[in-house]
Amino acid sequence: MSQKTLTDDAVAGAAAPPSPSARRWWILAVVAVAQLMVVLDATIVNIALPSAQADLGFSDGNRQWIVTAYALAFASLLLLGGRIADLFGRKPAFLVGVVGFAAVSALGGAANGFAMLVTARALQGAFGALLAPAALSLLNTTFTDARERARAFSVYGAIAGAGGAVGLLLGGLLTDALDWRWTLYVNVAIAVVAFIGGTLLLTNHRDAANSKLDVPGTILVATGLFAVVYGFSNAETHDWGSPLTWGFLIAGSLLLAAFAWWQTRAEHPLLPLRILLDRGRAASFLSVLITGAGMFGVFLFLTYYLQLNLGFSPTKTGVAFLPMVGALMVTAQLGTTVLLPRIGPKAVISLGFAVAAVGMAWLTGIGIGSSYASTVLPQLIVTGVGLGLVMPPAMQLATGGVAAEDAGVASATVNAMQQVGGSVGTALLNTLAASAATDYLAGRDATSKVVQAQATIESYTTAFWWSAGLFAAGALIALVLFRRGVPQQDATTAPVVHM
C-alpha cells in the first residue's frame, strides 16, 4: 500500500464522526438528565404547593389535582409513548418529548390560575409519557456490552429511585430562594441541555417501522390506566366506599382485562404478551410496582414529619433526604456490577427488599420529641441501601432480553409500573394513615395540641409499617418468581442484562 493511500485513509478516519458506541457514555449523561427531569417533576411541585395555592387562590379540594393531573396523563399514555418510539424512532420521540415538556413547564410557571396550572401539569405528564420510554429504550439499545450496560443501568436506576428525593430538595431550594414558579421554569434549563445533547449524539432507531399502531389496544389501555389511577386518587379525597373510587377501579380493571384479551388477537399488539409472560421479567415489573408504592411511605409522610413536627424548612427537608440518595446510588453500583453477576436477581432483589423493610420498620420509632440524627438518619440510610439493591437490577432485567422492536414498549411498561405503584401507594397509605389518626383521637381530648401531635405520629408510623409490609411482600415475591442463578443470554433477542 502506498504512503499516499495510508495518508488518505488516516485523514478519512480522522474526519469520520465517532461511532455511537464511542459516544455511549455521553448518551447516558443526556438520557440521565432527561430522566431526572421527568422523575423529579413527580415531587418537585409538592413542596411548592402551599405557595402556589396562596398565590393563585385555589381551594384545598383542588390542590391535589396539581399532583394527580401529572400522574393521570403520565400513567395512562406511557404504553402509547413507548410504541410511538418503536414505530417512528427513538431520537425524534426523545427530542419531541424534551421540547414539549419544557414548553408546557414554562406554561405552568406562567399560570395565572388553577385551570392553567392543572392543564400544564397534565400536558407535562403527556410529554413525559413520550420521553421516559424513549430514554430508557435508548439505553437498552446503546449499551450492548454486558458490563457497561450494568454500569449504565445502575446510574439510570439510581436516578429513577432517588429522583423523588432530589425533587423535594430542588423544590425546597427554589421555593425558598426564588418563587414556586421556578419549580416549573427549571425544566426549561434542564431541557436545553438534554435537547442539545440528544441532537448531537443520538441516532435514530425504528426497529418496529414495519408494524402499525394498535389503536383499539391504545384506547383500552389508556382509559384503563386512567380509570385505575383516577380511582385510587379519589380514595384520597373521598373514601373507599365512594362510587368515584370503586366505580373507576372496577371500570379500569375491566378495561385492562379487555386490553389483555385484545393483545392476543391484534395483528400488531401494543404490548406483546411475550414481554409479560417471561417469568423473570414479570418478577421485575412487580418489583418496580412494589417499590413505587412503598417509596411514598418514605417521601410523603417523612416530609410531613420533618416539616410539621421537627420544624424543618423546605430546603432543610430536601437536604435531610440526601443521605438516603447517597446510600441508594452506592448500592445501585454494587448491586448491578458486583452482586447481580455473581448471585443473580433472586438473592439480590430479595435482599434489597428485606433491607428496605427493616429500614421502614425501624423508622416507626419516631416520636414527638425525636431527633433527626438518631431516629431518622440511620433508618433513611438503611432504606436507601435496600432500594439501591432493588430498583436498578429490576429495571435492568425488565428491559433486557427483549426483541429490539419491543424495547420501547418494554421500557414504557417499567415506567407505567412505577407510576401506577406510586399512585396506588399514595392512596392506600394516605387512607390508612388518616384512619390511624382518627382511631387515636377517639375517646381523647382532640383539642389538646399534644394529643393532636401524637395522632399525626400515629398516622406516620402506620404508613411506615405498611410500607415495610409492602417491601416484605416484595422480598417474598422475588424469592418465589426469580429463577436461581444469573440470567442466560438468548441469542435471538437483544442482549440480556447479565454481567
Side-chain angles (χ1 to χ4, degrees), residues 446-462:
T447 62
S448 167
K449 290 186 177 180
V450 174
V451 171
Q452 291 175 357
Q454 187 58 45
T456 63
I457 297 297
E458 290 293 323
S459 69
Y460 303 151
T461 56
T462 298

Side-chain angles (χ1 to χ4, degrees), residues 10-23 199-203:
V11 172
S19 67
S21 61
R23 299 173 296 178
T199 302
L200 295 177
L201 297 171
L202 298 180
T203 56

Side-chain angles (χ1 to χ4, degrees), residues 264-286:
T264 66
R265 308 289 297 272
E267 184 179 358
H268 301 286
L270 178 67
L271 177 58
L273 293 185
R274 60 182 176 269
I275 293 175
L276 297 178
L277 296 179
D278 177 85
R279 178 175 162 182
R281 192 170 297 114
S284 299
F285 286 143
L286 285 174

Side-chain angles (χ1 to χ4, degrees), residues 416-473:
M417 289 293 177
Q418 186 179 20
Q419 191 64 35
V420 172
S423 300
V424 170
T426 301
L428 178 63
L429 296 178
N430 262 331
T431 304
L432 293 167
S435 297
T438 301
D439 291 344
Y440 181 84
L441 290 173
R444 291 182 171 88
D445 181 10
T447 62
S448 167
K449 290 186 177 180
V450 174
V451 171
Q452 291 175 357
Q454 187 58 45
T456 63
I457 297 297
E458 290 293 323
S459 69
Y460 303 151
T461 56
T462 298
F464 296 155
W465 274 121
W466 278 91
S467 289
L470 286 171
F471 290 145

Side-chain angles (χ1 to χ4, degrees), residues 41-42 45-46 49 61-76 114 118 121-123 125 225-226 228-237 419 423 426-427 430:
D41 249 76
V45 176
N46 290 20
L49 262 183
N62 285 332
R63 180 176 57 192
Q64 63 125 354
W65 290 107
I66 305 302
V67 176
T68 303
Y70 181 88
L72 283 171
F74 189 59
S76 59
F114 171 77
V118 79
R121 289 288 287 166
L123 289 173
L225 287 173
F226 180 93
V228 168
V229 175
Y230 187 83
F232 276 108
S233 298
N234 270 296
E236 297 178 61
T237 52
Q419 191 64 35
S423 300
T426 301
N430 262 331

Side-chain angles (χ1 to χ4, degrees), residues 343-414:
I343 59 177
K346 179 187 283 286
V348 173
I349 294 179
S350 299
L351 174 64
F353 270 129
V355 171
V358 169
M360 292 306 298
W362 191 9
L363 198 54
T364 61
I366 61 171
I368 296 176
S370 298
S371 70
Y372 170 79
S374 61
T375 56
V376 177
L377 177 60
Q379 294 85 333
L380 273 182
I381 292 174
V382 170
T383 303
V385 167
L387 294 177
L389 293 176
V390 175
M391 281 296 286
M395 298 183 82
Q396 201 174 17
L397 294 165
T399 56
V402 298
E405 64 268 20
D406 296 330
V409 73
S411 303
T413 306
V414 173

